[in-house]
Amino acid sequence: MTVAASHVPGSVQSRGKAHAVVIGSGFGGLAAAVRLAARGFRVTILEKLDAPGGRAYVHQRDGFSFDAGPTIITAPFLLEELWDLGGRRFADDVDLRLMDPFYRIRFDDGRVFDYSGDADKVKAQIAEYSPADVAGYDRFMAMSEKVFKVGFEDLGHVPFTNLTDMLRIVPDMAMLQSYRTVYGMVSSYIKDPFIRQVLSFHPLLIGGNPFTVTSIYVLISFLERKWGVHSAMGGTGAVVNGLVSLVEGQGTEIRYNAEVERILIQDGKATGVRLASGEEITADVVVSDVDPAITYGKLLAEHPRKRWTDRKIERSQFSNGLFVWYFGTKRQYPDVKHHTILLGPRYRELIQDIFKHKTLAEDFSLYLYRPTATDPSLAPEGCDAFYVLAPVPHLGGDTDWETQAEPYRARIARYLSDSILPGLEDQIATSLVTTPLDFKHRLNSHLGAGFSLEPTLMQSAWFRPHNKSEEVEHLYLVGAGTHPGAGVPGVISSARVLDRVVPDASTFV
């Protein structure tokens, strides 16, 4: 999608305000811009691509609209809060629809499980698989709620700037068994292997290995039950467009095709940025919505770093990569839900191939997104828009995506055609593929990882790159790679942290 550069010049009054430059227009960058403008900053957003959204970019092809990345909206109050700060009502700009079920989960043997926020419906299905696990599910959800209250409500918007911030929460984390993995926590309540998959796959939606990430992420189960899983009419791109309208209404300037090459430093403080064109833009505050590995390893490459050195970055663990095939069909598939999880014949072994061995396996597990199940306007009449996503190794493995992308896509197409999209291979109207190479080169993602740093225990909270940079004064980080982590709620919450760490605009004037 080609969009002309958008410029919303600051008013005469705003030119005397403290200036904040935000690098990137993903959810983190846009949310940061809303908050900074509400606090009195004049804000400029610099976006490398030709349109907003970052990972939530929208591809327009042959009359079809494809959300490039995030498709699931949970905790909508976080968006409502941003609209309130901008002096508008979220519901006036974006039409959210509650999904029922949240996801249809299809096992390799063809059985399905409709996962929703209705506890009775979920337990009735669990009883069909393993009656003995019904009580275990209730106990698991009670633990999920406890973790949610601490991990999300108490800590999701709190900065971890000092080690003492981390030490203060150690007793709570120990009480909640955060040293366990998500799969380990689920398994302590559930015995059936299929139900264990149903309750433990969520970390894969934010780049985590269920067998290694901290069990703090079991909070997702209660978060979904509390607020539901939503999708926006017009796709996730409608939320992005709403945020763009919101920030522009605050007087923020957005510049597209404006790639930042360096963050400028003087006397240990960020003073602005230099674009790839050579233009320099001064600022009192710089906020990076770029992968922290790129922020530190590239944008601050010339600046001595004490913690996030090149060696530290290279020794860190990064999330999996993503293979995404966007396709439109000449016919509709009315039996396919909005969100479908298709689990392959292997679970633990496949995840080990992706995260540990970093090898592209013959089998796969898939997330199939059919937004036209809710909003037919995203495709021409009588057609459907889809994307199918496969977790794959990041570029630290040896997969040659230049040669493997098409054979891999064809294998997925055959599988879908043989399972839930009969005749698919003869129904393709348009097609687009992205691989970890696109994440690396187009989205500035280190190793082409889909979600930046993997959310292991030793890469969470204080151990993640801080929202207030440890290396440079007046530099702040938002997005999936900083605290609290990936996923739309996590990324928006990273911008909430700025209210606690960015000084008031009046201190710079």
Side-chain angles (χ1 to χ4, degrees), residues 266-277:
Q266 185 174 342
D267 298 328
K269 298 178 180 179
T271 58
V273 299
R274 182 169 70 241
L275 303 184
S277 65

Side-chain angles (χ1 to χ4, degrees), residues 391-414:
V392 295
H394 63 51
L395 296 175
D398 59 1
T399 304
D400 179 4
W401 285 110
E402 296 285 356
T403 60
Q404 290 300 309
E406 176 52 26
Y408 194 67
R409 184 210 64 79
R411 291 213 310 272
I412 291 174
R414 285 194 298 272

Side-chain angles (χ1 to χ4, degrees), residues 230-246:
H230 302 262
S231 290
M233 298 298 285
T236 308
V239 182
V240 172
N241 290 337
L243 281 167
V244 168
S245 174
L246 191 66

